[in-house]
Amino acid sequence: MRINDAVIGALLIAFAAVMIHHTGTFPSFPGQKYGPALFPTLIGLGFIGTGGILIWRGVRERAGTPWIEFAPWTREAHRLGGFVLVLASIIAYILAAESIGFLAACFVILFVLMTWLGEVAWRAGLIAVAMTLLIDWFFGDLMRVPLPRGLLNLLSA
């Protein structure tokens, strides 16, 4: 897929505007001229400058080419379905992880993605269990990242 730099620049500016707007909700520190909104605002201003450069360069170099040109794989239903499934998995994890927990969400997502990509169900299940436990160990125990427990909270209650 080829996306003109002007389109990416416009998206970057839109993202920066939302980010800068959101920093207005950050609390200020009494007696200080700056607070926690300073650095995200500066980064947002940098994004706006970069987006402006991308728009200028994209419009200048366009020369009759389309704004967005899709790769051949986007015309294949199975590959496009896989792409959409990955995006849906990310959204599903964000929405469901707190209620069902990391272990269940990770297992289901890995199992579904592997079977979609053609892995045999029993092998996909084994790999999903092993990788879920490995990821949980690495992030939960080794890195001390608090992963959502979800349904496991019912067992400890």
Side-chain angles (χ1 to χ4, degrees):
M1 178 186 312
R2 168 82 173 109
I3 301 175
N4 187 290
D5 285 345
V7 174
I8 295 173
L11 291 173
L12 191 60
I13 289 174
F15 173 74
V18 170
M19 187 172 81
I20 290 171
H21 175 70
H22 182 67
T23 60
T25 64
F26 292 180
S28 60
F29 294 132
Q32 286 193 332
K33 295 180 181 179
Y34 58 88
L38 176 66
F39 289 113
T41 302
L42 292 175
I43 291 170
L45 292 172
F47 283 173
I48 289 173
T50 303
I53 292 169
L54 285 172
I55 290 174
W56 176 74
R57 198 170 93 187
V59 170
R60 188 179 54 138
E61 294 176 358
R62 184 163 181 256
T65 60
W67 290 106
I68 299 174
E69 185 177 348
F70 292 100
W73 68 265
T74 60
R75 294 175 193 84
E76 298 175 30
H78 187 72
R79 289 185 177 196
L80 187 59
F83 175 75
V84 170
L85 190 58
V86 168
L87 294 179
S89 296
I90 294 168
I91 294 168
Y93 179 81
I94 291 169
L95 296 175
E98 283 297 323
S99 57
I100 68 171
F102 172 79
L103 294 174
C106 185
F107 171 79
V108 169
I109 288 170
L110 288 174
F111 181 79
V112 169
L113 288 174
M114 282 189 283
T115 53
W116 176 267
L117 294 172
E119 188 58 67
V120 181
W122 69 268
R123 198 173 323 158
L126 285 176
I127 295 170
V129 166
M131 291 309 299
T132 298
L133 293 175
L134 181 67
I135 293 168
D136 181 61
W137 168 77
F138 182 76
F139 285 102
D141 296 337
L142 196 61
M143 302 295 291
R144 304 243 185 247
V145 174
L147 298 172
R149 291 180 44 87
L151 298 174
L152 291 178
N153 286 332
L154 297 176
L155 297 176
S156 62

